[in-house]
Amino acid sequence: MAFSLAQDSRQALAETGRAPLRVGLIGKGIQLSRTPAMHEAEGRAQGLDLHYDLIDPDAMTGPQPTLAQMLDAAQDAGFAGVNVTFPYKKAVIALLDDISAPARVVGAVNTVVFADGKRRGHNTDYWGFAESLRRGLVGANMDSVLLLGAGGAGGAVAHALVSLGVKQLMITDRDPAAAASLAAEVGGTAVTDLAAAAKAADGIVNATPMGMAKLPGTAIDTALLEPRHWVADIVYFPLETELLRAARTRGCRILNGSGMAVFQAVRAFSLFTGLTPDTNRMRATFEAFSQVHDTQKGG
Ligand code: NAD
């Protein structure tokens, strides 16, 4: 039997006279995501009966549904849309009718909106990182940036950095082919000599999973940090990674990963609901979580 999601929105409307707004997140290992709480609290504050479901094959018993089945099930159940995370951000594109220009540029989709029987994909990670940097590092010199990590999130971050006016984007990854391919895509340079790259960089961004509670350490020798550098990390469990702690101690301007996580949700909320969310309220919900160990991938 095909995978299905319980409680059709139309049925709830018939029973309660009030149409719930259903959205969700499709991804693996997402049980600790803070995104449901941000959307549900903001929905409540705006008078919506908003339900945010986690659709996580890792948490299901029995045969694993395919991405196509999970997407079909959400659309059939009357969802307004879904967020999509690891490992589906690229694979989902083939299942959509249309994607926004930024999602096309990044080559990944983390938000799908269902409307008029159609599926449109967006990339709110891209905007989320750019907005976080614009607000959190006002006036920072962005001529030259060293990006650590060319994976899924690194792609959105690289494109966002270029959109913010970075002229020289140096990219490194444990997998040299990933760095080379992203560098070619964004007009950057793949680098392996991190001492030389740090010398040339105004800012350093970590988009590797290094620094997560389950992956302690840093993707760059922190002795290479200088007070003139700004340092951003997209890891947010913990909020202060080993890299950010070293950078702060050295006197660098720092930016943690909470802004990207909050702003991707801010943009997704407005895409799902057509309403303008209160950014500070969504950030407050995010920050209300106690620091727990990160066992998930983004989202
Ligand atoms: P991913 O697995 O797709 O990519 C990670 C990349 O980092 C890979 O290419 C890998 O080869 C590289 N890498 C790992 N260790 C390295 C090292 N020591 N040096 C150089 N390169 C290294 O993962 P992803 O989806 O891109 O996510 C990366 C991290 O970003 C996640 O751990 C998550 O915490 C964080 N994230 C945060 C947000 C947010 O909203 N703040 C959103 C998405 C992801």
Side-chain angles (χ1 to χ4, degrees), residues 149-154 173-175 207-210 212 219 234-236 257 260-261 294 297-298:
D173 195 288
R174 187 178 270 168
D175 171 5
T208 78
M210 297 301 293
M212 289 168 68
I234 69 162
V235 168
Y236 59 86
M260 180 177 181
D294 185 2
K297 306 275 294 185

